[in-house]
């Protein structure tokens, strides 16, 4: 015989539902293991040493205060620091330095070499000996080496248009520094104005500001060109290792 079915069946407790997990981004390091890049680290270290060597020669062979006032010296000091940090990060498989910093450094050294090679040098005698070596290093070797590092050893798409206006702040500050420096020095002082296109004593403020405006527009156009090229060039460091995920 079977037991009679009770008329009133007690309510069973509700089964608790599992809370839905919130989606969270997966860091790249959890998918792809960090990769050391000793060749890139060695190349960037050589660039840093070349820039530091050229700056050192300029300081030893001339007036250190004048040398440190040059845009080329300041931009190469920045290049040496950025390349040294970038070399360390490539060697230790850490994330690269921000693209905004790399883009600004590249823009400044390119402006240095373009101004040096395209604009007149105010009739100055060509350098010789160690001075010539320092000039070739700072105005030709390090800018070309930095461009090659960007094209061949750096992932594309890291430069952005929103950074381009900020990159012009340093050249604008240098213009103000150059003009204030010239006003503080007595008329007739050698190298009162370090660049002929910024010589207020010879050309006046109207022409100097016109030259500065043209240079600023050229610098901004070069920044836009760098950003455009960075988003259209191929990726030279694409890794095709297995990640464990099927995409």
């Amino acid at each position: 015989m079977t037991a009679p079915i009770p008329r009133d069946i007690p309510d069973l407790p509700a089964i608790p539902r599992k809370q839905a997990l919130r989606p969270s981004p997966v860091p790249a390091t959890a998918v792809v293991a960090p990769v050391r890049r000793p060749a890139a680290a060695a190349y960037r270290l050589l660039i840093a040493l070349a820039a530091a060597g050229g700056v050192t020669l300029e300081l030893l062979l001339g007036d250190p205060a004048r040398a440190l006032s040059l845009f080329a010296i300041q931009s190469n000091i920045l290049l040496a620091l950025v390349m040294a940090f970038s070399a360390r990060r490539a060697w230790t498989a850490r994330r690269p330095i921000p693209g905004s910093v790399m883009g600004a450094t590249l823009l400044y050294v390119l402006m240095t070499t373009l101004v040096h090679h395209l604009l007149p040098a105010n009739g100055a005698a060509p350098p010789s000996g160690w001075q010539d070596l320092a000039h070739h290093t700072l105005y030709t070797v390090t800018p070309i080496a930095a461009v090659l590092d960007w094209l061949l050893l750096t992932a594309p798409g890291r430069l952005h248009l929103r950074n381009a206006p900020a990159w012009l702040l340093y050249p604008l500050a240098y213009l103000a520094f150059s003009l204030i420096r010239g006003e503080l020095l007595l008329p007739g002082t050698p190298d009162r104005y370090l660049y002929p296109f910024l010589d207020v004593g010879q050309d006046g403020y109207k022409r100097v500001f016109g030259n500065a405006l043209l240079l600023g527009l050229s610098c901004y156009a070069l920044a836009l060109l760098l950003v455009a090229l960075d988003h259209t060039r191929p990726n030279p460091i694409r890794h095709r290792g297995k990640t464990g995920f099927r995409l």
Side-chain angles (χ1 to χ4, degrees):
M1 297 181 63
T2 58
I5 301 176
R7 294 181 179 181
D8 297 330
I9 300 176
D11 295 334
L12 298 176
I15 301 175
R17 297 179 60 185
K18 295 183 179 180
Q19 296 182 355
L21 297 178
R22 295 181 179 180
S24 60
V26 179
T29 53
V31 180
V32 180
V35 179
R36 293 177 65 249
R37 302 175 60 201
Y43 180 73
R44 290 166 183 170
L45 182 60
L46 288 177
I47 298 177
L49 292 176
V55 170
T56 303
L57 284 178
E58 285 285 349
L59 295 178
L60 294 176
L61 298 175
D63 181 10
R66 176 188 178 278
L68 290 175
S69 300
L70 293 171
F71 189 87
I73 299 298
Q74 297 176 11
S75 60
N76 272 273
I77 291 176
L78 177 62
L79 178 65
L81 294 175
V82 168
M83 284 298 166
F85 280 109
S86 184
R88 183 176 182 274
R89 294 194 173 203
W91 181 263
T92 57
R94 297 177 60 188
R95 294 182 59 185
I97 61 176
S100 57
V101 176
M102 191 63 209
T105 306
L106 185 64
L107 176 65
Y108 301 152
V109 294
L110 282 178
M111 285 299 299
T112 295
T113 188
L114 290 176
V115 169
H116 176 75
H117 290 291
L118 298 180
L119 296 183
N122 201 21
S128 59
W130 290 105
Q131 192 78 41
D132 184 57
L133 176 62
H135 275 224
H136 275 88
T137 301
L138 298 176
Y139 294 104
T140 304
V141 175
T142 55
I144 292 178
V147 171
L148 292 178
D149 173 79
W150 172 59
L151 292 176
L152 302 178
L153 299 175
T154 306
R158 301 180 61 236
L159 307 184
H160 303 284
L161 286 176
R162 64 177 178 270
N163 300 131
W167 293 342
L168 300 183
L169 294 179
Y170 169 57
L172 183 62
Y174 183 82
L175 171 64
F177 161 77
S178 180
L179 296 180
I180 294 174
R181 177 183 179 275
E183 288 296 326
L184 294 178
L185 295 177
L186 296 176
T189 303
D191 294 325
R192 182 185 177 193
Y193 294 97
L194 299 173
Y195 298 95
F197 48 85
L198 297 180
D199 193 339
V200 176
Q202 179 179 352
D203 299 327
Y205 277 102
K206 183 177 181 180
R207 186 169 181 178
V208 165
F209 283 134
N211 295 335
L213 179 60
L214 291 177
L215 282 174
L217 293 176
S218 301
C219 186
Y220 187 68
L222 180 59
L224 297 182
L225 178 61
L226 290 176
V227 173
L229 291 176
D230 190 56
H231 285 266
T232 56
R233 64 189 179 91
N235 189 353
I237 59 171
R238 182 181 290 112
H239 300 291
R240 298 182 179 179
K242 296 182 179 180
T243 63
F245 291 85
R246 181 172 296 178
L247 302 179

